Amino acid sequence: MVDTIVIRAMQEKIRYIPRGVNLTNPVISFKTRPRTRRFNRFKIPSFWDVENNLGLNLSEVAFVNWNAGGDNAFSALANAKFVRNYKFRYVQWNNDLVLRYGVNVQEGQKLRKTEDAIRFSSSFGYRRDTLTSWYYSAKVKFNTQFSNGYKYPDRSTPISRFMAPGYLFLGGGISYIPEGKNFNLYMSPLTQKATFVLDQNLADDGAFGVQKAVRDSTGAVIREGENKFIELGISVTNEWKTPIWENVTMDHRLSLYTDYLRSFGNVDIDWELNFVFTVNSFLKANFGTQIIYDDDIRFNPVIADDGSVISPGVPRIQFRQLLAIGLSYDF
């Protein structure tokens, strides 16, 4: 038999009441109006961060009897971004899909493409405890475009097409992802880069680094060019999104890659920097730049009349700049 002994201390009366203390007695009132809505039900917290964004930027200029001269023009740029990020304790899984397509038409000219991109990225990370910001990571990334690209005004010979090129990166390494910073630094000592050129004419010319076709003295193809090119190397990517002023956000994305066997030390660069100016929930402005350097993309090749390549051309820095304002819808 075990007895329980309860010891209670007597509550002492407060002798000195501090200045500023508001002492009120509980009051029961029947004058309060009854609730017309039900209480919100308890929802299980989700570990998914979801982002859906659709945007459309339009620009137009028109002239009627304008003495200074000018051509009527119209431009449109559509973009979409879908993000699905999962995070719970030791696991983090980030997925995003970006689609962009833009056109421009001027008086006296045919429709021209100004923007074309399909970009998908997925990374999975695991950490040993919840205190560290370092993750063991695996990452897959895919890039291509929607439609044919031309070196205007020539529209007869496309210089790029859907899956020509198409890039697939697959690798593993470590990531530094600090809490609440929208910062991700990924370093992979072992990444496979696959370049696809599914257009046979471009593959026969050896475009984007694939093995070109073997031709005879008349230019006829003896052996077709390869449709893919596989590399193995080091990859470093960095993504950072942060507010810099009120209603102004900077979005930075950098990708570096170098191949072990073919040209170690020759770094492929893809750097994109965007500034988003938020006017209201539906109106945004964007200023962005992108720099690309890839040794496998050559410019100004010299080709003989029989189809043989005299000079494969030289690599150059590619630069793109965008300034747009338009509608944006998040859901």
Side-chain angles (χ1 to χ4, degrees):
M1 190 72 179
V2 178
D3 294 333
T4 302
I5 300 175
V6 178
I7 300 176
R8 296 178 178 175
M10 298 299 293
Q11 183 176 359
E12 296 183 0
K13 185 177 180 180
I14 301 177
R15 296 182 179 180
Y16 304 101
I17 301 177
R19 183 179 299 177
V21 173
N22 185 16
L23 300 178
T24 59
N25 296 323
V27 177
I28 299 177
S29 175
F30 296 97
K31 297 181 180 180
T32 305
R33 295 181 180 180
R35 289 182 57 89
T36 59
R37 296 181 181 180
R38 295 182 178 180
F39 288 96
N40 295 330
R41 293 183 177 180
F42 173 75
K43 295 182 179 180
I44 300 176
S46 175
F47 302 105
W48 286 92
D49 182 16
V50 178
E51 177 184 347
N52 302 302
N53 177 265
L54 301 177
L56 179 62
N57 300 318
L58 302 173
S59 64
E60 182 265 346
V61 59
F63 303 94
V64 177
N65 300 324
W66 192 253
N67 183 61
D71 294 329
N72 300 334
F74 175 80
S75 299
L77 172 61
N79 58 81
K81 183 177 182 180
F82 306 96
V83 177
R84 300 291 186 274
N85 294 338
Y86 174 85
K87 184 174 182 180
F88 179 67
R89 293 176 64 84
Y90 309 110
V91 175
Q92 180 156 326
W93 185 24
N94 296 340
N95 305 273
D96 66 87
L97 174 64
V98 177
L99 308 174
R100 294 198 300 260
Y101 196 84
V103 294
N104 171 266
V105 59
Q106 294 186 15
E107 185 179 7
Q109 297 183 356
K110 294 182 179 180
L111 188 71
R112 294 187 177 189
K113 182 175 67 172
T114 58
E115 181 81 5
D116 192 358
I118 302 174
R119 189 175 75 224
F120 172 75
S121 175
S122 178
S123 61
F124 180 85
Y126 175 81
R127 58 181 176 176
R128 293 180 297 178
D129 57 68
T130 57
L131 299 179
T132 182
S133 298
W134 291 94
Y135 291 77
Y136 301 105
S137 299
K139 187 180 185 70
V140 58
K141 185 172 63 173
F142 172 75
N143 299 330
T144 188
Q145 61 189 45
F146 285 100
S147 61
N148 295 354
Y150 299 94
K151 188 176 181 181
Y152 298 108
D154 181 13
R155 297 175 179 270
S156 60
T157 306
I159 59 175
S160 60
R161 286 186 170 181
F162 175 73
M163 288 301 295
Y167 298 103
L168 177 64
F169 296 84
L170 179 62
I174 57 174
S175 296
Y176 177 69
I177 311 175
E179 294 286 343
K181 299 295 184 180
N182 282 327
F183 181 90
N184 190 322
L185 175 62
Y186 168 75
M187 296 174 287
S188 171
L190 196 64
T191 295
Q192 176 183 282
K193 176 185 177 183
T195 303
F196 299 94
V197 183
L198 301 188
D199 180 85
Q200 197 57 51
N201 292 329
L202 292 174
D204 291 342
D205 293 338
F208 308 106
V210 299
Q211 184 65 38
K212 63 182 180 180
V214 178
R215 304 175 185 266
D216 59 15
S217 58
T218 62
V221 175
I222 301 175
R223 187 180 63 195
E224 292 184 339
E226 297 289 338
N227 295 111
K228 63 179 180 298
F229 175 56
I230 306 297
E231 299 175 88
L232 188 65
I234 302 173
S235 176
V236 177
T237 64
N238 178 227
E239 298 176 3
W240 185 31
K241 185 176 181 180
T242 181
I244 54 176
W245 292 297
E246 185 178 1
N247 298 332
V248 181
T249 303
M250 183 189 73
D251 194 350
H252 152 85
R253 183 181 62 87
L254 175 65
S255 177
L256 306 174
Y257 179 84
T258 183
D259 178 54
Y260 275 122
L261 303 177
R262 190 181 183 190
S263 56
F264 183 76
N266 188 8
V267 181
D268 297 337
I269 303 173
D270 186 354
W271 181 28
E272 191 171 351
L273 183 63
N274 291 294
F275 295 90
V276 180
F277 304 84
T278 303
V279 180
N280 53 44
S281 300
F282 300 99
L283 190 62
K284 293 182 180 180
N286 182 280
F287 174 77
T289 60
Q290 184 176 9
I291 295 176
I292 296 178
Y293 179 82
D294 191 336
D295 188 69
D296 296 325
I297 301 178
R298 301 299 180 101
F299 293 84
N300 300 327
V302 179
I303 301 176
D305 296 335
D306 60 358
S308 60
V309 178
I310 300 176
S311 173
V314 294
R316 291 182 177 178
I317 295 176
Q318 305 173 56
F319 178 78
R320 179 181 67 89
Q321 181 266 324
L322 171 68
L323 175 60
I325 183 171
L327 302 176
S328 178
Y329 176 63
D330 297 320
F331 61 96

